[in-house]
Amino acid sequence: VDWLGRHLERDIAGNHLWTNGAGLALAGCLFAGKSADRWWACGYRLLNECIDSQLSADGEHFERTPAYQCELASQLVELAGWGDRRDPDQADRWRSTSHRMRSFADRLRHPDGVSPLFGDSTFDCLEMKSSRPLGNRSEWVGDYYVHRCAGDALIFDTGDMAADSLPAHAHADLLGFELSHAGERIFVDRGVFAYSGSARGEYRSSSSHNVLTIDSEELADVWSSFRMGR
């Protein structure tokens, strides 16, 4: 834990730095003594900084990947359970933040109860499944336009492909969408299969998404494993 505290992933930032803070805060809850006090203080301050800088007012994480949205929200709930021993008020803030993040993700889900596979998402990371009925309505959820009618659902992403400062989990999916009909997914995003090798480039390409292309032109210059140009 001391090593982690001396090697925070500020060069990567994003969900990495968020998780660094959560890890330090958790260690501060599990142990006692001066080191634990230091871990806790560093961890909860860092995590709160990440929450303030990485979440929109609606509760969307700025890397715009539903799987990471659910994973980070789950981290906060788990940490809050241990944080009650250290600072109940702080723990309640994390629960409230997690609820805001989950509520955002919940409004994007398909009729099957699971979120879309935008960005670097996989079904095994989308553990948040809900059976709460959302009714027939059309609404904006952040930069997503969501239309629901009976068992049909259209989830249309009108926002940026990535945060300008961190495109690591972004795909070339400008104006992409997913669609369910009669409760079944019909138009689906491929999500992600690998973080390296040729498959990485394939899954990030425009041809792996429900988007408009002209002459097979890519909608973004994705390169290496986690880079994006123009």
Side-chain angles (χ1 to χ4, degrees), residues 109 132-138 147-152:
R109 62 182 170 84
R132 182 174 67 87
L134 291 174
N136 299 334
R137 59 181 174 180
S138 299
H147 172 72
R148 301 181 186 280
C149 182
D152 300 345

Side-chain angles (χ1 to χ4, degrees), residues 33-82:
K34 292 183 179 179
S35 292
D37 292 341
R38 185 175 67 254
W39 299 335
W40 166 257
C42 177
Y44 87 77
R45 284 197 296 264
L46 177 59
L47 180 55
N48 288 344
E49 288 173 9
C50 290
I51 290 172
D52 291 340
S53 64
Q54 296 182 21
L55 286 189
S56 70
D58 293 321
E60 182 184 22
H61 188 253
F62 78 140
E63 293 186 78
R64 310 199 71 235
T65 297
Y68 282 94
Q69 175 94 9
C70 294
E71 181 177 305
L72 296 176
S74 295
Q75 277 186 13
L76 290 181
V77 170
E78 181 179 0
L79 179 58
W82 293 100

Side-chain angles (χ1 to χ4, degrees), residues 130-207:
S130 174
S131 59
R132 182 174 67 87
L134 291 174
N136 299 334
R137 59 181 174 180
S138 299
E139 62 175 341
W140 284 97
V141 183
D143 288 326
Y144 299 93
Y145 182 73
V146 183
H147 172 72
R148 301 181 186 280
C149 182
D152 300 345
L154 169 68
I155 305 163
F156 178 42
D157 183 3
T158 73
D160 293 336
M161 287 181 280
D164 289 340
S165 61
L166 188 61
H169 298 295
H171 293 196
D173 61 351
L174 185 67
L175 300 180
F177 72 95
E178 286 198 2
L179 175 72
S180 284
H181 173 63
E184 299 291 335
R185 293 184 183 226
I186 303 299
F187 286 90
V188 295
D189 194 289
R190 292 183 74 182
V192 66
F193 179 77
Y195 274 169
S196 62
S198 60
R200 177 64 173 162
E202 177 187 347
Y203 274 71
R204 296 181 79 200
S205 68
S206 295
S207 61

Side-chain angles (χ1 to χ4, degrees), residues 113-126:
V114 183
S115 298
L117 288 170
F118 296 136
D120 277 345
S121 291
T122 60
F123 279 125
D124 58 332
C125 290
L126 291 169

